[in-house]
């Protein structure tokens, strides 16, 4: 029975968290993403103009899946595509002997520019894997029957290294009880229902909960427009900036804490997490860590929320569930 743990290293402003993964005989830094289900990486097949500065997977150690290809577009319209190989993947000591590796032959500029990241490791449900003609399993699904327990956990931190564990829950990483809620897998995400919100201006219109997904690959916390508006109504100098496409606030502000009720338990995001990052280096205006989820169709509990809790992604029972505990 396999268990393992791997570091989650924060990038600038906690924009993403990267973890070392051995693929074939390359060690790459991948962005673990519970909001998607493709394991893709820059490769020796990627055009040099797109892959400059990135670690590359060399498919010579793998076996090509003939006729298989993949093409993914994320919510922010970033995209990548390529072909597929089966190869050995090791994450924190947990080994998948034959994992589908999606080698990029084309990536959009968002990925080219993010030189610290060599690709993504999807941890959503394999039902949304983009490989055609036959979707393949995520790393977690590939190894889950070899794990001591079919779970992985997420312990992200603000401005410090956190960790992912596979196959076990680490009791040293949380305090109090774990609150579990059911997961709806219909859209392929770790989707749950938040009971309600409070904190901030008009107490962030408490009581209005909603459908949400837990997404380690998204930096911020996207909430119903009325909740986001209500929160910032209590923050001096905050406003919705159409040019920036979201709420901004003075970097000097100390925004109020924000509370989320899930499964009857309240989890608090410290206000400091919501003063997210300067619009550009040296700016005294910062982008807010809470934004409206308008047009998405559900709320996204990205890293701004996840770094305030210990999260358990549990597929060990008759149906998947999400656990949250105070860090
Ligand atoms: C889908 N989850 C995270 C995400 N959103 C935009 C890009 N990425 C990787």
């Amino acid at each position: 029975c396999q268990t393992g743990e791997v570091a989650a290293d924060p990038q600038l402003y906690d924009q993403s968290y990267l973890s070392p993964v051995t693929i074939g005989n390359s060690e790459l830094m991948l962005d673990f993403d519970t909001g998607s289900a493709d394991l893709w990486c820059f490769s020796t097949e990627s055009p040099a103009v797109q892959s400059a500065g990135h670690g590359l997977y060399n498919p010579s150690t793998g076996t090509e899946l003939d006729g298989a290809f993949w093409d993914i577009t994320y919510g922010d319209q970033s995209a990548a595509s390529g072909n597929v190989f089966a190869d050995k993947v090791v994450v924190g000591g947990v080994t998948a002997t034959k994992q589908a590796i999606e080698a990029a032959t084309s990536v959009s500029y968002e990925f080219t520019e993010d030189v610290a990241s060599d690709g993504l490791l999807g941890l959503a449900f394999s039902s949304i894997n983009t490989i055609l003609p036959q979707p393949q399993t995520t790393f977690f699904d590939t190894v889950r029957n070899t794990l001591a327990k079919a779970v992985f956990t997420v312990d992200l931190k603000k401005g410090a290294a956190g960790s992912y564990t596979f196959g076990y829950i680490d009791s040293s990483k949380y305090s109090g009880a774990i609150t579990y809620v059911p997961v709806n897998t219909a859209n392929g995400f770790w989707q749950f229902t938040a009971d309600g919100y409070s904190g901030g201006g008009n107490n962030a219109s408490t009581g209005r909960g909603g459908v949400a997904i837990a997404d380690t690959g998204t930096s911020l916390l996207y909430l119903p427009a009325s909740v986001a508006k209500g929160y910032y109504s209590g923050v001096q100098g905050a406003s919705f900036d159409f040019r920036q496409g979201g709420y901004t606030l003075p970097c000097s502000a100390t925004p109020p804490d924000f509370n989320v009720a899930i499964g009857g338990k309240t989890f608090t995001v410290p206000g400091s997490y919501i003063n997210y990052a300067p619009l550009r280096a040296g700016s005294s205006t910062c982008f807010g860590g809470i934004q409206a989820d308008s047009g998405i169709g559900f709320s996204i509990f990205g890293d701004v929320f996840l770094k305030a809790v210990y999260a358990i992604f549990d597929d060990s029972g008759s149906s998947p569930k999400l656990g949250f505990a105070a860090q």
Side-chain angles (χ1 to χ4, degrees):
C1 283
Q2 299 194 87
T3 62
E5 179 176 24
V6 69
D9 295 333
Q11 300 313 295
L12 183 63
Y13 304 126
D14 299 345
Q15 179 264 338
S16 65
Y17 293 78
L18 302 180
S19 299
V21 176
T22 302
I23 306 179
N25 54 24
S26 317
E27 178 170 293
L28 301 179
M29 294 302 286
L30 301 185
D31 180 358
F32 287 16
D33 180 13
T34 59
S36 66
D38 287 46
L39 194 175
W40 72 262
C41 47
F42 284 88
S43 74
T44 49
E45 298 181 327
S46 309
V49 68
Q50 292 183 2
S51 66
H54 292 272
L56 306 179
Y57 166 63
N58 184 329
S60 63
T61 57
T63 307
E64 180 149 21
L65 262 60
D66 290 337
F69 62 95
W70 60 282
D71 188 337
I72 192 164
T73 300
Y74 298 100
D76 64 356
Q77 300 314 300
S78 58
S81 59
N83 47 32
V84 188
F85 298 82
D87 209 336
K88 178 176 164 184
V89 173
V90 184
V91 177
V94 174
T95 298
T97 50
K98 282 183 67 180
Q99 170 64 38
I101 308 296
E102 301 174 37
T105 57
S106 176
V107 305
S108 64
Y109 73 89
E110 293 89 348
F111 293 113
T112 295
E113 285 178 357
D114 185 4
V115 291
S117 172
D118 302 325
L120 267 72
L121 188 143
L123 291 169
F125 293 91
S126 300
S127 58
I128 57 172
N129 175 262
T130 73
I131 294 173
L132 291 176
Q134 177 59 45
Q136 300 297 310
T137 53
T138 65
F139 171 76
F140 177 61
D141 269 350
T142 303
V143 302
R144 48 169 296 165
N145 295 331
T146 69
L147 296 176
K149 185 177 171 63
V151 303
F152 64 91
T153 74
V154 176
D155 182 22
L156 301 180
K157 295 186 178 305
K158 179 170 178 5
S163 61
Y164 292 91
T165 73
F166 289 88
Y168 72 103
I169 295 168
D170 184 340
S171 56
S172 73
K173 289 184 164 52
Y174 67 93
S175 61
I178 298 174
T179 298
Y180 286 100
V181 287
V183 164
N184 175 343
T185 62
N187 298 313
F189 301 121
W190 291 88
Q191 183 180 309
F192 65 101
T193 299
D195 304 331
Y197 308 103
S198 65
N202 61 4
N203 226 347
S205 61
T206 47
R208 276 177 41 79
V211 173
I213 70 168
D215 184 356
T216 56
T218 289
S219 314
L220 308 181
L221 173 52
Y222 294 86
L223 297 169
S226 59
V227 175
K229 182 168 190 272
Y231 175 80
Y232 287 109
S233 69
V235 179
Q236 191 76 27
S239 64
F240 187 88
D241 182 334
F242 283 92
R243 283 195 316 176
Q244 299 304 327
Y247 288 94
T248 63
L249 69 166
C251 296
S252 57
T254 309
D257 293 351
F258 181 73
N259 307 304
V260 182
I262 302 172
K265 181 88 171 44
T266 295
F267 298 92
T268 298
V269 179
S272 60
Y273 292 17
I274 300 162
N275 202 328
Y276 175 64
L279 296 183
R280 66 193 65 77
S283 172
S284 63
T285 302
C286 278
F287 202 65
I290 286 174
Q291 296 295 338
D293 65 14
S294 310
I296 298 175
F298 44 79
S299 296
I300 301 182
F301 281 39
D303 302 334
V304 161
F305 172 79
L306 291 170
K307 56 190 167 185
V309 298
Y310 183 56
I312 296 94
F313 293 70
D314 185 326
D315 199 5
S316 68
S318 53
S319 68
K321 59 186 183 180
L322 265 172
F324 297 104
Q327 263 196 31

